[in-house]
Amino acid sequence: MSLALSTLLYEWRRYMAAVMALALSGLLVLGMAGVFIGIGKGFTATIERSSADIIIMQPGAKSLIGGPAGVPRRFIPLAYNHPEVVEVQPLDGAGGSFQSVRNVDPTKSVAERARAGAPKQNFVQTSIIDTRPGSVTIPTDYSPELVEALRQPYTVAIDETAMRSLGVKLGDKALYNGQTVTVAAILRGYPNMMQQSIVMSRDTLRMVGQADTGPRVGPLMVKLSDPTRAEVVAEQLNQQGDGQWKAWTRQDLADANQSAMFEQGPLIIILGGVTVVGIIIGVAITWQTLRGAIMANIKEFASLRALGVGMASLRRIVVELSFWVGVVGVAAAIGLTWLVAVFAGTQGVLIALQPQALIAVGGGLISIAMISGLLSLGVLKNSQPADLLR
Amino acid sequence: MMTTKSHGKHGDFAIEAKGLVKRFKSGKAYVEVLKKVDFDARHGDLTMVMGPSGSGKSTLIAALSGLLRPEEGRVDTLDVDDLWKLSSGKIDKFRLDHCGFIFQGFNLFPALTALQQVETVLKFQGLTPAAAKKRATLALEEVGLKPRLHQRPSALSGGEKQRVAIARALAKDPQILFADEPTSALDGENGQIVIRLLRRAASEHGAAVICVTHDPRLEEWADRVIKIEDGIIIDDQRRTPNPNATLASHH
Ligand SMILES: Nc1ncnc2c1ncn2[C@@H]1O[C@H](COP(=O)(O)OP(=O)(O)O)[C@@H](O)[C@H]1O
Ligand SMILES: [Mg+2]
C-alpha cells in the first residue's frame, strides 16, 4: 500500500472534514439533480411504460402531457396506411377538480366531525386507457385486474403516493368535477410531485363529458406488428407524414422529454448555482484540510527530502493523497445521497440517482479533491530538511 | 552477518570542504555562523563534531550534505567536485544515492510500520518492492528490531524509533552518514545502542560517519574528535575508539 493511502486510512480523522465537505457538495448536486430528474420521471413514466411502439405528435412537441402535442383526427387513418401498423389510438386527457368525500356520521358531535378533517380538493390531471384487453393505451405494467377495475363506469385509479394529498383510499368515493367517482385501484410507480394525476377509462372520460370529440385529438399511440422495427417504421412514417407530424419511438421520446426539462432556464440556474456552491465549499474545505494534514507530517516529508527524495516525488505523494480523499469523498457522497433518497422515498418524494449523474458528480468530486491537492502543494516548500538540523 | 559491501578504502577521504562561510541575517546585521571552516572526513571513521550549543555544528553538516548553501567555500565529496555547483535536483540525487541522515527527532510517518518506513525510501531509490522489502527487513534486523517489523511508531519506544530511523538511513547502504545529536532524545541505554550502531556503520560498512553532538561521553567511540566553537574549528584529534565503552544510564 502506498504512503498516501496508508496515511489516509491511518489518520482518517484528520481527513474527515474534507471527506464530509466532498460528500455534502456531492449530496447537494446529486440531490438537486435527483429531485429534478425525479420530477421528470413522473412525467416520462407514462411514456416509458406505454405499450405504444411509436408515438405520433405535432412537430416540435416533446412531451405527452402539458403543451400542445395533439394532431388532427384525420391522421389516424393516415397512420393506418403503413402496413406494419396494427393499432392507432389517440391519447386523451383532461383536468379537473378532485374532491374527497367524507361519509358524515350524523350521530357524531361537531367536534368529532371537525377532528376527522375537512374534505380535500385538488386539481388533478386526468389520463385515460382503453379497457379493451391488449389496447395500445394500456401501460405495460397495468395488471388485467386493474384494467378490469377501470372498465366499470365512473371508476378512477390513483398512485399510492397521491393517496394522502388527495385524501382518499381504495374504495373511497370522490367528486370529479362534481360527479361521483370511485377509487377502484391504486397504482404503484407513478409518483408525480408537481401535479397529482388520476387515470380513468376513455368511456368514463366520455361520461363525465371531457372526451375529445372535435377534429383534434391527442398524441397517437401506435402499435406495430413487429415492435423491434420501431426505428425503421418511425423513419418511414416521418417520410410519409412529410413534416405534418413527427413519429417518435418510445425511447427517443422519453429521452427527449427528459432533456427538454433540463433545457428550462430556472432548472439550469438552480442546478448551476448549486454546483458552483458545491465546488467552492468542496475546494475550500478540502484544500485547507490537505494543507493541515501535510503540515502535520512536514517533518517526515523533510526527512525524506534529507534522504534525497526529490520535491517532485513529494508532490506526487500529495496529489495521490488528494486523489484518494476524492475517492473516499465520492463513496461518502453516494452513500449519503442514497440515504437521503431512501428517506425521501418514504415521504413520497422521488430522488432519481442516474448512473450518468453519479459518474459526472463522482468525477467532479475527484477533480475538486485533486485541485485542492494541487493548491496545497505550496506548503511542501516548508519541508526544509535543514530545519531538522538544529 | 554484514549484508552490505564496504565503501571506498578505509582512510580515503569521503568529504573535503574548504573555506566554508555561512551567514544568517539577524535583523539588519549578518551573523557569521561558519567562519572559513575547513573540514574533511574519511571512510571508516566515526568523526565526532563537538561543541557548545549554537556553535554551528548543525549548520556545518547542512552545508556538507547539500541542504544549506554556504555563502563561500566548496565541498568535494566522493567523486563530485564542488557539490554546490550541481543543480538542486542533482544534489538531491547525490543524497539519495550516497547519504544517510539521522536526526535528533525520529521523523517517522505515523501511518507506516517500521518495515514500511524503510521500504519507502528504498522504493524511491528505484528498488523493486520485493528487493526493498528484503533489504528493509535485513536493515531492521541489523538494528535489532526483527520482532518489531510491523509496529507503527505509536507502538515503539523512543529508542526503537531511533533505531528505525537508523535502519532507514543504513538500508540505503550510504557512503556518508550524517547524524545530528542522534542520542539527545534518548536515555543512556538507548543512546549506547545508537552510538554502537554508528560505530559499526563506520567500521564494518566503511561509511564516513559524521556525528554531531554536545555530549562529551560519546567521544569514547570516535576515531576522531573535532571541536568547533563560534564557527571556528579549534581542535582536531585522532584517537583510538573503544567500541565496548558504556554510557551510564544516568546523566
Ligand atoms: N535559519 C537560521 N536563521 C538564522 N539563524 C540561524 C538559522 N539556523 C541557525 N541559526 C543560528 O546559527 C547559529 C548556529 O546554529 P547551529 O548550527 O544550529 O548550532 P549548533 O547545531 O551547534 O547548536 C545559532 O546561533 C543559530 O541561532
Ligand atoms: Mg544543532
Side-chain angles (χ1 to χ4, degrees):
Chain A
M1 209 192 304
S2 70
L3 172 57
L5 191 52
S6 308
T7 300
L8 175 61
L9 294 180
Y10 185 75
E11 300 181 54
W12 59 271
R13 278 184 201 82
R14 213 193 278 297
Y15 298 91
M16 267 317 266
V19 169
M20 286 322 291
L22 291 174
L24 288 173
S25 307
L27 172 64
L28 214 58
V29 176
L30 274 178
M32 273 300 167
V35 166
F36 291 148
I37 295 173
I39 293 171
K41 272 217 185 307
F43 288 120
T44 52
T46 3
I47 301 174
E48 279 169 348
R49 289 173 237 172
S50 152
S51 327
D53 302 309
I54 287 178
I55 294 141
I56 294 178
M57 302 200 299
Q58 176 178 312
K62 285 181 181 171
S63 127
L64 285 181
I65 33 180
V71 295
R73 189 180 288 279
R74 61 185 172 84
F75 283 7
I76 298 176
L78 291 180
Y80 272 116
N81 279 346
H82 193 284
E84 294 183 47
V85 169
V86 295
E87 187 185 0
V88 181
Q89 292 288 349
L91 209 58
D92 202 350
S97 74
F98 187 94
Q99 188 180 329
S100 61
V101 179
R102 298 251 166 246
N103 288 325
V104 180
D105 181 349
T107 64
K108 282 196 174 152
S109 71
V110 175
E112 278 170 325
R113 265 184 259 162
R115 212 172 303 128
K120 293 188 175 171
Q121 186 169 21
N122 286 275
F123 190 83
V124 297
Q125 192 121 37
T126 310
S127 57
I128 59 103
I129 63 167
D130 290 289
T131 51
R132 192 179 50 74
S135 168
V136 68
T137 49
I138 301 173
T140 50
D141 61 346
Y142 275 28
S143 64
E145 293 76 24
L146 173 55
V147 177
E148 176 67 33
L150 287 177
R151 192 173 297 142
Q152 310 309 314
Y154 294 104
T155 56
V156 300
I158 63 171
D159 189 73
E160 55 181 355
T161 57
M163 285 164 68
R164 188 155 29 138
S165 60
L166 293 182
V168 289
K169 50 188 197 304
L170 189 64
D172 279 0
K173 298 232 181 303
L175 291 174
Y176 176 70
N177 285 342
Q179 306 190 50
T180 303
V181 293
T182 306
V183 179
I186 300 295
L187 306 173
R188 255 172 173 274
Y190 290 87
N192 192 326
M193 273 175 289
M194 306 305 276
Q195 164 120 67
Q196 301 306 347
S197 57
I198 64 172
V199 180
M200 59 180 62
S201 69
R202 194 189 296 276
D203 299 322
T204 299
L205 188 69
R206 195 173 297 129
M207 287 183 266
V208 298
Q210 286 191 309
D212 286 328
T213 49
R216 282 191 77 83
V217 293
L220 301 184
M221 314 297 277
V222 179
K223 186 178 258 183
L224 302 181
S225 50
D226 179 6
T228 59
R229 303 235 324 134
E231 298 229 1
V232 180
V233 176
E235 183 62 30
Q236 290 167 351
L237 281 171
N238 277 330
Q239 277 172 16
Q240 188 186 325
D242 196 22
Q244 306 178 80
W245 67 43
K246 181 159 167 66
W248 300 78
T249 65
R250 188 175 57 236
Q251 192 55 51
D252 285 349
L253 181 60
D255 293 347
N257 191 358
Q258 202 163 84
S259 56
M261 195 181 76
F262 281 94
E263 283 159 16
Q264 285 168 18
L267 284 193
I268 293 302
I269 290 168
I270 293 173
L271 214 50
V274 161
T275 305
V276 168
V277 169
I279 289 174
I280 291 173
I281 293 175
V283 168
I285 296 181
T286 309
W287 173 24
Q288 291 308 313
T289 306
L290 284 172
R291 272 179 65 102
I294 296 165
M295 279 312 284
N297 281 340
I298 202 73
K299 281 187 164 173
E300 289 77 24
F301 282 125
S303 72
L304 286 187
R305 296 267 298 123
L307 289 168
V309 176
M311 206 57 158
S313 302
L314 297 193
R315 289 202 190 100
R316 265 199 296 280
I317 294 174
V318 170
V319 170
E320 190 195 331
L321 181 63
S322 59
F323 170 77
W324 288 119
V325 167
V327 169
V328 177
V330 170
I334 292 177
L336 204 59
T337 311
W338 180 76
L339 280 181
V340 170
V342 167
F343 174 74
T346 65
Q347 304 300 306
V349 176
L350 180 66
I351 296 184
L353 293 180
Q354 288 196 319
Q356 302 98 295
L358 291 182
I359 289 168
V361 171
L365 290 181
I366 289 179
S367 310
I368 288 176
M370 293 189 68
I371 289 168
S372 311
L374 294 177
L375 285 172
S376 48
L377 284 180
V379 292
L380 274 181
K381 69 173 185 296
N382 294 317
S383 65
Q384 288 299 334
D387 292 345
L388 300 177
L389 297 168
R390 271 293 149 87
Chain B
M1 74 161 292
M2 283 302 105
T3 57
T4 50
K5 62 187 186 300
S6 47
H7 294 295
K9 241 173 59 203
H10 279 237
D12 283 356
F13 281 118
I15 295 188
E16 271 189 286
K18 287 243 163 5
L20 291 179
V21 173
K22 179 70 202 171
R23 301 185 192 94
F24 286 113
K25 207 170 182 174
S26 140
K28 274 186 205 145
Y30 281 95
V31 184
E32 213 163 65
V33 176
L34 296 179
K35 300 167 179 164
K36 287 212 173 297
V37 171
D38 298 338
F39 179 93
D40 62 67
R42 296 164 196 260
H43 288 289
D45 272 3
L46 171 49
T47 303
M48 199 82 72
V49 179
M50 311 198 67
S53 185
S55 54
K57 305 181 296 292
S58 297
T59 307
L60 174 62
I61 62 170
L64 294 174
S65 58
L67 294 178
L68 200 62
R69 182 181 290 277
E71 271 72 41
E72 289 171 30
R74 61 179 285 157
V75 177
D76 301 321
T77 173
L78 305 179
D79 50 0
V80 176
D81 281 339
D82 205 347
L83 180 67
W84 285 107
K85 281 253 163 65
L86 299 182
S87 67
S88 69
K90 286 250 170 61
I91 293 177
D92 283 348
K93 180 81 170 74
F94 173 82
R95 279 202 312 279
L96 186 61
D97 291 343
H98 304 298
C99 298
F101 266 94
I102 299 161
F103 304 100
Q104 181 178 340
F106 318 123
N107 308 311
L108 302 176
F109 286 94
L112 300 187
T113 65
L115 187 59
Q116 291 168 331
Q117 311 273 357
V118 183
E119 282 174 336
T120 300
V121 176
L122 294 176
K123 284 182 198 157
F124 279 116
Q125 258 192 322
L127 267 70
T128 63
K133 182 167 189 178
K134 198 167 157 208
R135 246 263 307 251
T137 309
L138 285 172
L140 285 161
E141 283 174 358
E142 203 174 325
V143 300
L145 287 179
K146 188 171 183 177
R148 314 292 274 159
L149 287 183
H150 301 291
Q151 303 295 325
R152 293 205 172 82
S154 56
L156 297 173
S157 72
E160 288 171 330
K161 281 188 246 193
Q162 190 60 301
R163 275 143 74 192
V164 174
I166 293 176
R168 180 168 73 170
L170 288 182
K172 298 168 65 181
D173 197 16
Q175 307 200 38
I176 308 171
L177 182 60
F178 295 98
D180 190 21
E181 313 267 8
T183 62
S184 299
L186 303 176
D187 62 19
E189 200 179 326
N190 281 301
Q192 179 161 321
I193 293 171
V194 166
I195 191 69
R196 281 188 173 161
L197 286 169
L198 297 184
R199 175 68 259 170
R200 248 178 35 201
S203 314
E204 297 176 24
H205 295 244
V209 180
I210 297 157
C211 175
V212 161
T213 183
H214 63 260
D215 183 351
R217 295 170 310 157
L218 295 184
E219 274 187 31
E220 284 275 1
W221 283 269
D223 296 285
R224 185 177 171 197
V225 177
I226 294 173
K227 298 217 158 103
I228 183 169
E229 237 169 66
D230 236 354
I232 298 170
I233 291 183
I234 54 164
D235 192 30
D236 181 353
Q237 287 189 7
R238 291 205 74 81
R239 56 183 309 288
T240 309
N242 170 14
N244 298 317
T246 50
L247 260 186
S249 47
H250 299 289
H251 55 277

